[in-house]
Amino acid sequence: MNIGAPWPTAEQAEARVLEIQTKLHRWATDAPDRRFADLFNLVCDPAVLLVAWRRVRGNKGARTAGVDGQTVYYIQQRRGEAVFLAELRAELKARRFAPLPARERLIPKPGSGKLRMLGIPTVRDRVVQAALKLVLEPIFEADFLPCSYGFRPGRRAQDAIAEIHVFASPPHGYEWVVEGDIQACFDEIDHAALMGRVRQRIADKRVLALVKAFLKAGILNQDGGVRDTITGTPQGGILSPLLANIALSVLDEHLAGRQRTTRAQRRRGQPSVRLIRYADDWVVLVRGTRAHAETLRDEAATALASMGLRLSAAKTRICHLDEGFDFLGFRIQRQPKRGAPGQHAVYTWPSKKALVAVKAKVRALTRAGSNQPLAALLGHLNRVLRGWTNYFRYGVSKRTFDYLGQFTWNRVLRWLRRKHPRASWGWLRRRYLPRWWPTHGTTELLRCGHVTVTRYRYRGAQIPTPWTATG
């Protein structure tokens, strides 16, 4: 790749990056032992940097500044994209680029009342991380196993739930479940162990130095002090999910050989194992006994320890499928099959924790000031409800959707009473409640109970990447 090439248009850049990624993915797939030695030039390529910038610019965090106080909008208005990218590329080529510490930001952890620490890199650091991800992801995607679903292109949480549903149902017979919880996963990954796994595929010392520099960049605390990052990869960085998947693939590889057992092995008492992992959330389905599940829990702890990670003793548990468990917001449990006495089936539906979380969002929106028009409130509510119901519609969710729709209806009516305290019910109904449903102009409250509930199709290992799909 000619790094002296002129800056392409956005369309040319996207096409060139896709071509580069497709080649890298094919080479990595065809040669599992290959180490890539000349990738830094690709990171500095104008097309890669332009695509990286456009993805950073399109992220929700584009309006959030790092320690330098610069947002994407500031760069666009004060410096201009062309000047910013040209200067950044010159720093990279001259090996003068050095990441700044990430800015600490504490956000509420859903459902726990605790706070989660995010590390917000500067915009320039985000662009370089995005460029690194564009180059490295196709290579490591060739090595990642099908049991991993989180933060991978073309894969989603519903794929993980569908795999659990398939293998927990007859005729597979997986009945015991190990619910794994990793203690502070993103904060405790061992840098040396992680870099060792990166080096198995990457031989370019300039790229390795850049990855290590981001790991060691540090965190600027809210009190103004800089804390060294001896371990971990801060949540909030664009590169962090890929690095976490590289680290956690030790668990995938350890259990991969246990996924299928022969009849002879099962007669000797050996269990069959099925790992399903979504980033640092994972479960192991076991066809065997509780003792087998306990052994596998200990094996998982040993595998994770090689990356400096620990299982949470309080949150890691073993249960039977009939007891049920929560995973990725779903409740998964085997129950008597409806309409078929004596038979059992595995059902998935929104967990109580997920329902409590969406109800809290609805309460917060309908508790806000009543100066805004009803259409604005309905727009905010519909975005929350549409996203939640679209996520959970692949389950036995009809009753929950009906309940959520009624709950939201009640909250909107209470909001209208506060907005018009002297109005009669007849006036409110004529103005805002045609057919007794909250409506303002062309904006109507989403009818959760009308959202279609369906079964998600299990795709197994046949999930294409963006690069194999075009090849």
Side-chain angles (χ1 to χ4, degrees), residues 126-147:
R126 280 178 246 172
V127 173
V128 177
Q129 286 193 34
L132 276 170
K133 183 182 178 184
L134 287 171
V135 174
L136 296 180
E137 187 174 48
I139 297 171
F140 286 98
E141 272 294 322
D143 299 334
F144 291 155
L145 299 177
C147 62

Side-chain angles (χ1 to χ4, degrees), residues 56 61-72 74-75 100-105 118-126 219-221 236:
V56 169
R63 293 178 292 179
T64 305
V67 296
D68 60 357
Q70 296 185 8
T71 62
V72 168
Y74 175 91
I75 291 172
L100 296 173
R103 180 170 66 87
E104 182 181 60
R105 182 178 179 182
L118 292 183
I120 310 298
T122 63
V123 173
R124 64 192 282 276
D125 291 352
R126 280 178 246 172
I219 299 289
L220 179 68
N221 298 328

Side-chain angles (χ1 to χ4, degrees), residues 1-3 20 24 27 34-45 135-136 139 201-207:
M1 178 63 62
N2 179 13
I3 63 171
I20 291 170
L24 291 173
W27 294 337
R34 176 172 179 170
R35 298 181 70 221
F36 291 78
D38 190 15
L39 298 177
F40 190 74
N41 287 343
L42 297 180
V43 176
C44 300
D45 185 87
V135 174
L136 296 180
I139 297 171
R201 273 301 203 174
I202 309 301
D204 192 325
K205 293 183 178 180
R206 297 166 296 178
V207 171

Side-chain angles (χ1 to χ4, degrees), residues 78-116:
R78 298 295 182 88
R79 299 174 64 184
E81 294 180 8
V83 173
F84 169 76
L85 290 175
E87 292 176 353
L88 182 59
R89 181 168 180 256
E91 284 187 45
L92 286 168
K93 290 174 62 179
R95 306 289 301 279
R96 295 194 308 268
F97 175 85
L100 296 173
R103 180 170 66 87
E104 182 181 60
R105 182 178 179 182
L106 300 177
I107 63 171
K109 202 170 182 178
S112 66
K114 300 179 181 178
L115 295 176
R116 170 183 291 151

